[in-house]
Amino acid sequence: MPIPKPTAERLSQLARLLEQRAARSGTISSSEIQQLTGWPSHTIRKDISSLAAAIGASANGAAEPDFSTTSGYDQAKLASAIRKALGFTNEQRKCCIVGLGRLGSAFLEYAGFQGSSFELTAGFDSNVNRVEILKADFPLYPAFKMKEVIQRTGIAYAVLCVPPQQAQGTADRLVECGILGIVNFTPAILSVPHGIEVENVSVIDALGSLTARLAAKKTHERSEQ
Amino acid sequence: MPIPKPTAERLSQLARLLEQRAARSGTISSSEIQQLTGWPSHTIRKDISSLAAAIGASANGAAEPDFSTTSGYDQAKLASAIRKALGFTNEQRKCCIVGLGRLGSAFLEYAGFQGSSFELTAGFDSNVNRVEILKADFPLYPAFKMKEVIQRTGIAYAVLCVPPQQAQGTADRLVECGILGIVNFTPAILSVPHGIEVENVSVIDALGSLTARLAAKKTHERSEQ
DNA sequence: TATTGTGAACGCGTTCACAGCA
DNA sequence: TGCTGTGAACGCGTTCACAATA
């Protein structure tokens, strides 16, 4: 029984949240989670129920779950169960940054990758100067080495931070290099062949979602009165 | 008849795409859009159908749509109809950037806001040095002026780019200032009161979605064989 | 023939209500 | 009593199949 995508997203956030407050008392209830996240408690219980089902299905004779005391969930155990079920702990997927301008270079010192199942292993920029000046924990290369490096080191994903005019062209090159997925920080809409996935990340889209949700909430409240 | 949220998101992207290729021939078919975006053509037709319904519902005696020739949709007309229906062209919503480190300061020269319905009107940082050194088209302030500036100028949204340890505290302050929505670029999970909306933007989450989609596609292909 | 347009069926995640348990 | 857990009903977006239009 596969975990539904929206459920997986909530669980992933929940795991982050639990790890953040690791210092607190060992147990948390679904209604406390509701308070922290805004998700209804029954949704959370259902999500965790899906999680347990998914674990039980694959755990043929292995150790059973065992979060769920009488007063909530064991935070540490729940968090690690989520991580395991969502395929974290598996081998790290290698990623690269393409485009080391202001935005791209911000990732060079971004701490969020530690503890995730993704690993930054390369950066590329067409400007050789940048490549030489910037410092990172992983090697930076001029753009013409992209194909060689990606294929040799087995990089699966690219984080695209080039100027919008170069976005589609660079995406095409990345596909040629054998990349599987692109996280697109560019405002451009990318066209890619079947089998390649693009995830768009955009402040503007995020602001649009906010506006839509606030508008929906308003009309909802109106209809409640 | 309100436009469903997923539909609105697709239409929003579609509008961006149409505007990008404004130079091309004036008409585009649903199957061409399928090729460019990967969405099935019937989904696109349904989406545009929803759009037409939404416009027709509010256009009491006003001009009717009129994209839809016999060989596709008029690109320019469709794009502007989408923008109108999704509430763009309305008064701009004011936004501010909070935290002017590497990531936050990248937005100071980000072009994506032009032509959107959002406008950057202020930046804040607790480090007075940064505020004085950085240059932007809009004023930058030290953090202690947040409340005064946000309330005086009517800023509705904040883009949160502070270090993760300060995320929750800063979010709390923003809520006190009367902000309605927060775009959270921090890996921290934020708790906010009812009525305030948070949209999380995270590379890690985006990579996670990519992985999930690729995995789903693989098992789907397997079951098709 | 090549397109849009749409009512109806479907599938899936959400919600509900209540059973189970400590 | 206060919590988790879950089958069943519900609602909504997607998908399908076919009518409509040129």
Side-chain angles (χ1 to χ4, degrees):
Chain A
M1 194 183 280
I3 296 179
K5 190 194 159 183
T7 294
E9 279 169 7
R10 281 191 299 268
L11 287 175
S12 168
Q13 278 201 40
L14 178 56
R16 286 228 304 276
L17 184 145
L18 293 175
E19 282 156 6
Q20 266 175 227
R21 61 203 305 281
R24 326 257 172 157
S25 72
T27 181
I28 190 170
S29 72
S30 57
S31 49
E32 285 178 285
I33 298 176
Q34 168 168 27
Q35 251 206 322
L36 290 168
T37 62
W39 309 321
S41 63
H42 50 74
T43 297
I44 293 152
R45 289 202 303 278
K46 190 70 166 182
D47 287 350
I48 294 177
S49 172
S50 296
L51 174 74
I55 292 174
S58 65
N60 301 314
E64 63 273 21
D66 97 320
F67 25 83
S68 86
T69 71
T70 175
S71 61
Y73 302 98
D74 183 302
Q75 298 195 48
K77 286 178 186 168
L78 180 53
S80 75
I82 293 173
R83 294 261 104 112
K84 213 167 292 179
L86 294 186
F88 287 58
T89 68
N90 286 5
E91 90 291 5
Q92 308 250 314
R93 302 259 186 168
K94 293 185 180 177
C95 310
C96 64
I97 297 176
V98 181
L100 298 172
R102 266 216 150 116
L103 179 59
S105 61
F107 287 114
L108 300 185
E109 54 179 33
Y110 180 65
F113 278 86
Q114 282 137 8
S116 80
S117 57
F118 302 98
E119 188 190 6
L120 278 179
T121 61
F124 300 98
D125 198 296
S126 53
N127 183 331
V128 181
N129 255 338
R130 280 186 189 154
V131 170
E132 284 170 353
I133 291 170
L134 291 168
K135 292 287 170 209
D137 293 341
F138 46 87
L140 307 179
Y141 304 94
F144 67 83
K145 290 198 175 167
M146 241 167 50
K147 188 159 195 171
E148 189 268 316
V149 172
I150 287 175
Q151 296 187 336
R152 175 167 52 80
T153 62
I155 293 174
Y157 299 135
V159 179
L160 190 64
C161 302
V162 300
Q165 309 84 357
Q166 301 171 25
Q168 182 62 59
T170 310
D172 293 343
R173 283 190 63 190
L174 285 167
V175 170
E176 281 172 30
C177 297
I179 227 87
L180 296 175
I182 298 175
V183 176
N184 177 27
F185 273 85
T186 285
I189 306 286
L190 302 179
S191 293
V192 293
H194 272 97
I196 312 294
E197 290 292 331
V198 174
E199 182 78 15
N200 294 298
V201 175
S202 150
V203 212
I204 304 294
D205 287 348
L207 287 165
S209 300
L210 277 185
T211 307
R213 284 222 297 277
L214 286 167
K217 197 170 267 186
K218 227 171 228 163
T219 58
H220 184 64
E221 278 162 10
R222 244 179 241 140
S223 69
E224 271 179 343
Q225 289 169 2
Chain B
M1 194 181 281
I3 295 179
K5 190 193 159 183
T7 294
E9 278 169 5
R10 281 191 299 268
L11 286 175
S12 169
Q13 278 201 39
L14 177 57
R16 285 229 303 277
L17 184 146
L18 292 175
E19 282 155 7
Q20 266 175 227
R21 62 204 305 282
R24 328 258 171 155
S25 72
T27 182
I28 191 171
S29 72
S30 57
S31 49
E32 285 178 283
I33 297 175
Q34 168 167 29
Q35 251 205 320
L36 290 168
T37 62
W39 309 321
S41 64
H42 49 75
T43 298
I44 293 151
R45 290 203 301 280
K46 191 69 167 182
D47 286 350
I48 295 177
S49 173
S50 295
L51 174 74
I55 293 175
S58 65
N60 301 314
E64 64 272 22
D66 98 319
F67 25 82
S68 86
T69 71
T70 176
S71 61
Y73 302 97
D74 182 300
Q75 298 194 49
K77 285 177 186 169
L78 180 54
S80 74
I82 293 173
R83 295 260 104 112
K84 212 168 292 180
L86 294 187
F88 287 58
T89 68
N90 287 3
E91 90 291 6
Q92 307 251 314
R93 302 261 186 167
K94 292 185 181 176
C95 311
C96 64
I97 297 175
V98 181
L100 298 172
R102 267 223 149 109
L103 179 59
S105 62
F107 286 114
L108 301 184
E109 54 179 33
Y110 180 64
F113 278 86
Q114 281 138 7
S116 80
S117 57
F118 302 98
E119 187 189 8
L120 279 179
T121 62
F124 300 98
D125 199 295
S126 54
N127 182 332
V128 181
N129 255 338
R130 278 187 190 153
V131 170
E132 284 170 352
I133 291 170
L134 291 167
K135 293 287 172 208
D137 294 343
F138 46 88
L140 306 180
Y141 303 95
F144 68 82
K145 290 198 176 167
M146 242 169 49
K147 189 159 195 172
E148 189 268 316
V149 172
I150 287 175
Q151 295 187 335
R152 174 167 52 80
T153 62
I155 292 173
Y157 298 136
V159 179
L160 189 64
C161 301
V162 300
Q165 309 84 359
Q166 301 170 27
Q168 183 63 58
T170 310
D172 293 343
R173 283 190 64 192
L174 285 167
V175 170
E176 281 173 30
C177 297
I179 227 88
L180 296 175
I182 297 175
V183 175
N184 177 27
F185 272 84
T186 285
I189 306 285
L190 303 178
S191 293
V192 294
H194 272 97
I196 312 294
E197 290 291 332
V198 173
E199 182 78 15
N200 294 299
V201 176
S202 151
V203 213
I204 303 294
D205 287 348
L207 287 165
S209 299
L210 277 185
T211 307
R213 284 221 298 275
L214 285 167
K217 197 170 269 184
K218 226 171 229 164
T219 58
H220 184 63
E221 277 161 9
R222 243 178 242 140
S223 70
E224 269 178 343
Q225 289 170 3

